[in-house]
């Protein structure tokens, strides 16, 4: 985005803003009665037994929290921007972990299962997703070109394809391929069936993304390229697509991240990927939450890795394509 | 480069337009244009803004389709179903009014792409040629920048160098000096004079009357999609025939 | 306190599955119906309160911490000690036999022939645990059982119907047999699946009402009602209505 | 895409291409032995009993089909483009319906259930999705601006948010909100919990989409706007976002279509939406396929409606923004 | 419009630059620039391509940040932490070298936006004013087209009209006639002369020497980021001081 050459005064330095923030924070904490929580314990010397401290205890707890909150923001704002980002991330992470912790999880159970989840589950998930997204990208380029072409048959097939495979639930597609192909004489294994379903489905979504990216490149680029005698394919490959990349990458990243999790749908046909194991391993002892949270954290880590990769690629292409 | 296509009937005509008309929707941009250009000839097109100058030269390499009449380049008719459009275009260099540089490639890569990708010139040679052309337009030191980091005039010069690198038979210039300062204008025009002397066929939309006088074989004046007057530069400037031309020239000379 | 609340509101909220015919399902009028549903309705009427059904996912019911969203679960849950850490099981109200089935045209005639075969089971169910020889059921009154079928390979599917669809493809195409609750297998056969039950039931599993942990009053109340329903034959009657067999006593 | 002013010869008119196509089609049909199908029946006079016709029958059937296929394409190519698109769509539709038909469905069963699926299921699905996508869009704009801003705290919060909510499986988010909020004292109903989860999750995905769209608008537009004294918000609202719309719409359409189906995840907390009913209604009589296919067709119809709306909006903005 | 800000010390200075320097990374684009512009004064900036002319005027409304020295507009210092940048900018009209029209708005809407959105002029009045300005630049008939449907010269005229609609106190022109034909150049320059006569303060990057002579109060010649020479037009053209200027002028006058 356009970075302006004028920097407004930092809001956080304005006393009026600080007071307003304090008030908002106070009201928020007050409505969520915080006296019952650990804060109440800390305030015991002042408010007495937290459970019985009533309105007074409630507002005392809220006030303390609100001051902590605003003070925290203020202190953060004194640091350079990179440090700010780091601190805020860390704080949010801790808060979130505390939230998980409040579920009263049995960690020994998680420990005993996590190894298998990673070696068997994560591996399968990654493998299926990576193969599928690659096939989907190829489908998407072909599909996008077909949808933008003026060949009636190609357009019709491509638009039927995107409509159908975006239209049917992925679960349905998995079923149709796994159970439908045998009807016409082809018995197919679970993993290939899953990969086919995921590739076709995401290929349809990505066709739309690629189409938008290609369409956004100004006409002048086509003209400059074609007027030098570059053929269609060359123009597409060397002139148009590289410029479309910064536009295509973020939604494609979305799709890949979504696919990591959608690949869990293939567990219905008995593929032992991450989510399948999460749902299964906890079954015997009713420890679903433990397993689900573990799986969620693994997914999250994966997502963060992908986000870093994504922003690298984007930066690389954006620097080049700066206008 | 391939030998000039010497059709018996065409008398060495590189470009011929016969009765060309073109519409944008309802609006007729070009009206019954007739124009022939022989090899080595230099045509200057001028006329008021919106008179269809850009459109005319864009029709010559079929960036725009015309609806009536025939256009022949090198004896090959330009029409919807032609096969060898890419070969024809390789031989027609074009410098766009808006430059249209490739923003994701450095200046050098912009200049090397054409020769390397479609003419099959090896990388090293393409680079040498590109540097030579960039030197000719006085910006060899900008070779590794991206277009967005250049001033307007620098971009325009890159656009010219890029076209020249393809060593085309015909050059189409669409106001190639609009973003340049007078010094640079002089230099670019010198480059163009040099090209002209080396026998390159050129069609140039420009309002640089000095250039028209110096190298033009023919000045064509357009208004509202029609060719109003065509003449050799001397007669065109000193003895214009139509009232419209007189009016136009009076404006130029008065400031 | 939950009990007080139920009584004061006059409404018992019951969590159950809607995906589990003939225990509980949506009938032709798109209302909840089935054996579990009838049992729940009977419990409510014995408490003289109205009843309301909710259908959260199995994993949500079994996570505990219901936060008062519903009061009890009547969902054919098998009680084990490990599970008792999460929920309380006040009353076993019936036992279902678990059996094997094969494709109609399969050469297999007895369950013992399934030793070393490829058998399909619902993921993480008691059936799969049985195949894995890792089943422990320690509720009172559970009939003892033996692991007399050891499969060559387990094909683990999301639900029994996916298994049945694989069996339908033909003997040995994807799997050789399926293990599942006898009532469900019989229902499938009635619905036209080309399957045949082989051998005697592998084991009987007790199925219980469940409540959130830590409410002794409700626990006692439910236990009392279920015992009464056993005693006066209500459960037998219901079981015969839905299954044609009395499963309420076990064996 | 750039429509060139030169139209290549239509491939389909070239005998060589036709022959090649014929060969490919023949091989394809040959590998999928078509003699057992209805085609075999038609060819009975020539090849005798289809089941026993062996290689000869197989190749005869494949040949007939291949000729039909290529002839069909050739005939289609004679029509004007709009008609071509119509014919191809219709043919694909019929083929697809035939595939469904081959599952041997009981239509009376579908008929008896479809009313309830639409009034209860479709309504809930649409309602939840529409509300969620609207909230998600608002979140996305705020998130995108925060991610592009140079305020450290805003950036950190926004990037933590996108990372977390793209990272956790939607199912997990539904659980966390449904079961986690009660831990801090708020018991929330199933439908609101579902809407919150969907909005937060899709808000995170759409933040990325909006960010890419906003970033793609050239610097000159910001400069022209700011140099006239338009403030940041005005510039964003009236200059940048309208130009970003054609870029944002296709991936947003993707998200909405995906959400229609992802909203089925809220059925885990007992919401009776379309997919839940599809899975449930067929249970008793083992008519899963009937119900799943019905649901799939409903989803598909919805998708097609959305696609038409999407292309209308896109066209509207693209015409305006043509460069 | 708001009254001219008459700071006692500024002697009616509308713009003052003192010791302004600016770098792009390592590269110094502006080197110790000093320049004052009084109300109603007309400054012409010329110089070779890449000499920093665009950068200089872009610093004046802080589209670019300078790193050293002070810039004051209307007595208000332009710096990183200023509060009222938007008000200052409203009073500085700018015509960009690349036009930067808003592609999603018609020509009319482009012209109406500023007055309507930030000056609070009612729609009807804004429209009237816009049409008046479009008429002044001779393209009232293009009012309902989108920028992409216009020729280069037409676009440039829209850009000028758009700026004028804001009725600014100072106008910055960045080569406002580069894409125009001579006739149009004459007309646009006439428009600018008209503005100049109505007392508007103007800074204009241009190579139209006729214009510089006719309306310029001061001609500033830049090279390599420095102001090499400044003088009134007559002396500048007839009696240049520095060698660099002489060289530059000889190029202009020779063609
Ligand atoms: N895509 C288009 N749709 C509609 N009208 C167009 C389109 N492109 C150009 N025109 C119109 O066609 C006319 C001729 O345009 P053209 O660009 O050829 O003018 P020009 O002579 O090159 O002008 P200039 O000197 O300003 O570049 C103009 O009136 C313009 O508005
Ligand atoms: N973003 C940038 N990054 C690096 N260098 C830049 C950037 N923008 C401009 N420059 C360089 O700064 C110098 C001055 O540029 P500027 O656009 O001010 O020139 P100019 O005098 O307006 O030239 P012209 O007459 O060609 O428009 C040029 O050498 C250019 O390459
Ligand atoms: Mg033009
Ligand atoms: Mg400039």
């Amino acid at each position: 985005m356009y970075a302006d050459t004028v920097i407004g005064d930092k809001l956080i330095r304005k006393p009026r803003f600080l007071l307003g923030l304090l008030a908002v924070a106070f009201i928020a904490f007050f409505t969520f009665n915080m006296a019952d929580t650990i804060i109440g314990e800390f305030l015991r010397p002042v408010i007495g037994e937290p459970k019985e401290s009533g309105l007074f205890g409630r507002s005392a707890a809220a006030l303390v929290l609100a001051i902590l909150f605003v003070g925290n923001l203020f202190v953060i704002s004194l640091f350079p921007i990179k440090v700010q980002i780091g601190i805020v991330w860390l704080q949010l992470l801790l808060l979130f972990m505390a939230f998980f912790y409040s579920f009263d999880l049995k960690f020994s159970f998680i420990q005993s299962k996590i190894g298998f989840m990673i070696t068997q589950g994560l591996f399968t998930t990654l493998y299926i997703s990576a193969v599928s997204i690659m096939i989907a990208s190829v489908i998407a380029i072909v599909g996008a070109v077909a949808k933008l072409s003026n060949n009636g048959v190609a357009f019709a097939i491509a638009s039927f394809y995107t409509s159908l495979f975006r239209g049917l639930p992925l679960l349905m597609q998995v079923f149709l391929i796994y159970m439908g192909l045998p009807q016409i004489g082809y018995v197919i294994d679970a993993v290939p069936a899953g990969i086919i379903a995921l590739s076709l489905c995401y290929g349809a979504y990505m066709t739309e993304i690629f189409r938008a990216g290609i369409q956004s490149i100004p006409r002048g680029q086509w003209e400059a390229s074609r007027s030098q005698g570059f053929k269609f394919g060359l123009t597409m490959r060397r002139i148009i697509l590289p410029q479309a990349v910064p536009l295509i990458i973020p939604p494609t990243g979305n799709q890949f991240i979504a696919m990591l999790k959608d690949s869990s749908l293939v567990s219905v046909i008995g593929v032992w990927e991450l989510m399948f194991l999460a749902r299964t391993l906890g079954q015997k002892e009713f420890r679903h939450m433990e397993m689900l949270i573990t799986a969620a954290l693994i997914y999250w880590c994966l997502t963060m890795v992908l986000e870093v990769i994504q922003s690298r690629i984007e930066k690389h292409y954006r620097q080049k394509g700066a206008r | 480069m391939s030998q000039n296509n010497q059709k018996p009937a065409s008398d060495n005509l590189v470009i011929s337009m016969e009765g060309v008309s073109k519409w944008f929707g309802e609006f007729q941009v070009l009206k019954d244009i007739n124009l022939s250009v022989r090899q080595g000839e230099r045509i200057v097109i001028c006329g008021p803004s919106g008179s269809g100058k850009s459109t005319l030269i864009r029709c010559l390499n079929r960036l725009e389709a015309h609806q009536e009449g025939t256009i022949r380049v090198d004896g090959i008719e330009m029409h919807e179903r032609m096969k060898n459009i890419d070969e024809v275009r390789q031989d027609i260099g074009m410098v766009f009014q808006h430059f249209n540089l490739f923003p994701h490639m450095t200046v050098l890569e912009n200049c090397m792409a054409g020769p390397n990708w479609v003419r099959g010139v090896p990388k090293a040679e393409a680079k040498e040629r590109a540097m030579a052309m960039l030197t000719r337009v006085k910006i060899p030191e900008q070779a590794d920048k991206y277009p967005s980091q250049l001033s307007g005039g620098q971009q325009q010069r890159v656009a010219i160098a890029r076209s020249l690198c393809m060593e085309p038979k015909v050059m189409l210039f669409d106001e190639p000096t609009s973003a340049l300062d007078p010094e640079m204008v002089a230099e670019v025009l010198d480059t163009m004079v040099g090209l002209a002397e080396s026998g390159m066929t050129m069609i140039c939309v420009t309002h640089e009357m000095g250039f028209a006088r110096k190298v033009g074989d023919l000045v064509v004046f357009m208004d509202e999609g029609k060719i109003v007057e065509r003449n050799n530069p001397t007669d065109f400037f000193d003895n214009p025939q139509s009232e419209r031309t007189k009016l136009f020239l009076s404006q130029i000379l008065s400031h | 306190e939950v009990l007080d609340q139920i009584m004061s509101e006059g409404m018992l909220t019951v969590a159950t599955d809607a995906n589990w015919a003939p225990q509980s399902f949506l009938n032709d009028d798109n209302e909840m119906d089935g054996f579990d549903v009838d049992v729940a309705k009977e419990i409510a009427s014995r408490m003289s309160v109205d009843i309301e059904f909710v259908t959260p996912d199995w994993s949500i019911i079994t996570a505990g911490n219901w936060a008062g969203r519903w009061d009890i679960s009547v969902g054919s849950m098998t009680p084990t000690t490990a599970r008792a850490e999460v929920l309380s099981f006040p009353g076993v109200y019936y036992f279902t036999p678990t059996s094997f089935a094969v494709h109609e045209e399969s050469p297999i005639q007895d369950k013992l022939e399934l030793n070393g075969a490829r058998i399909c089971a619902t993921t993480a169910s008691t059936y799969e645990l049985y195949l894995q020889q890792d089943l422990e059921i320690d509720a009172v009154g559970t009939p003892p059982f033996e692991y007399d079928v050891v499969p060559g390979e387990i094909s683990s599917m999301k639900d029994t119907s996916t298994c049945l669809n694989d069996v339908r493809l033909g003997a040995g195409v994807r799997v050789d047999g399926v293990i599942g609750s006898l009532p469900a297998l019989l229902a499938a056969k009635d619905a036209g699946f080309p399957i045949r039950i082989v051998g005697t039931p592998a084991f009987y599993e007790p199925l219980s009402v469940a409540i959130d942990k830590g409410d002794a009053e409700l626990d006692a109340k439910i236990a009392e009602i279920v015992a009464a329903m056993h005693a006066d034959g209500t459960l037998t009657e219901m079981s015969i209505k839905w299954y044609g067999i009395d499963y309420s006593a076990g064996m």
Side-chain angles (χ1 to χ4, degrees), chain C residues 14-150:
Chain C
V14 180
T16 190
D17 207 323
N19 227 340
W20 195 237
Q23 281 89 331
S24 52
F25 56 91
L26 287 178
N27 66 16
D28 288 342
D29 300 327
N30 302 315
E31 281 159 2
M32 298 292 294
D33 205 351
F35 176 68
D36 283 350
V37 172
D38 277 357
V39 172
K41 283 180 178 161
E42 182 64 23
I43 292 175
S45 79
R46 289 185 189 220
M47 294 169 80
S48 31
V49 292
D50 288 338
I51 190 162
E52 184 184 59
F53 288 99
V54 292
T55 57
D57 193 65
W58 182 253
S59 51
I60 295 218
I61 300 177
T62 56
N65 287 324
W66 293 346
R69 284 183 171 115
W70 53 87
D71 309 310
I72 64 172
S73 154
V74 185
S76 303
M77 221 179 266
T78 311
T80 64
T81 350
R83 291 173 172 189
E85 281 182 30
V86 182
L87 296 175
S88 303
F89 300 102
V92 171
Y93 58 99
Y94 74 121
F95 299 81
T96 51
T98 295
S99 282
F100 291 96
V102 297
H103 192 266
E104 260 175 2
E105 292 162 10
S106 169
I108 293 170
Q109 296 300 336
D110 189 74
K111 67 175 178 181
L112 295 180
E113 293 171 45
L114 280 168
N115 267 310
R118 185 174 158 87
I119 302 177
C120 189
T122 305
T123 303
S125 59
T126 44
Y127 321 128
E128 194 182 45
L129 293 173
Y130 175 84
L131 293 182
Q132 292 163 346
Q133 308 183 19
D134 189 20
L135 180 65
E136 33 175 303
I137 301 177
D138 41 20
V140 279
T142 309
F145 58 87
E146 285 166 11
Y147 297 113
D148 45 12
V149 174
V150 181

Side-chain angles (χ1 to χ4, degrees), chain B residues 142 145 148-154 157 179-181:
Chain B
Q142 312 283 358
K145 282 197 181 170
S148 60
Q149 297 168 314
L150 300 183
S151 78
Q154 288 163 343
R157 283 179 276 166
L180 301 180
D181 64 282

Side-chain angles (χ1 to χ4, degrees), chain B residues 61-65 79-83 85 89:
Chain B
N61 62 357
R62 238 191 125 71
L63 285 181
E64 304 279 358
H79 60 98
E80 218 182 42
R81 305 215 154 274
M82 62 190 296
K83 310 261 145 130
I85 181 74
R89 281 181 180 158

Side-chain angles (χ1 to χ4, degrees), chain A residues 167-210:
Chain A
L168 300 189
L170 180 52
L171 183 69
M172 190 69 216
Q173 295 175 34
V174 173
F175 275 160
L176 284 182
I177 288 168
Y178 188 68
M179 303 177 16
L181 281 186
Q183 309 251 1
I184 56 171
Y186 262 73
V187 178
I188 189 169
D189 267 356
V191 171
I195 288 180
I196 292 178
L198 282 171
S199 305
L200 286 175
C201 179
Y202 275 83
Y205 284 111
M206 284 175 55
T207 295
E208 287 295 296
I209 293 172
F210 276 63

Side-chain angles (χ1 to χ4, degrees), chain B residues 14-81:
Chain B
V14 180
I15 287 171
S16 82
M17 306 177 84
E18 280 165 30
V20 173
S21 291
K22 167 164 183 62
W23 285 259
F24 280 123
E26 297 283 275
F27 175 66
Q28 186 167 7
V29 216
L30 297 181
K31 295 174 186 158
D32 190 28
I33 303 284
N34 292 290
L35 186 70
S36 336
V37 185
R38 274 187 303 275
Q39 203 193 345
E41 218 174 5
R42 279 91 62 179
I43 312 281
V44 171
I45 301 180
C46 61
S49 172
S51 57
K53 305 181 297 297
S54 295
T55 309
L56 188 151
I57 63 170
R58 286 161 56 83
C59 281
L60 291 181
N61 62 357
R62 238 191 125 71
L63 285 181
E64 304 279 358
H66 58 284
Q67 280 93 28
E68 270 179 20
T70 51
I71 299 180
R72 264 175 229 278
V73 174
D74 238 2
I76 298 164
E77 192 181 334
M78 310 294 275
H79 60 98
E80 218 182 42
R81 305 215 154 274

Side-chain angles (χ1 to χ4, degrees), chain A residues 38-49:
Chain A
I38 191 146
I39 300 298
E41 288 306 313
F42 281 121
L43 292 179
R44 190 182 283 271
V46 186
I47 60 171
E49 170 59 32

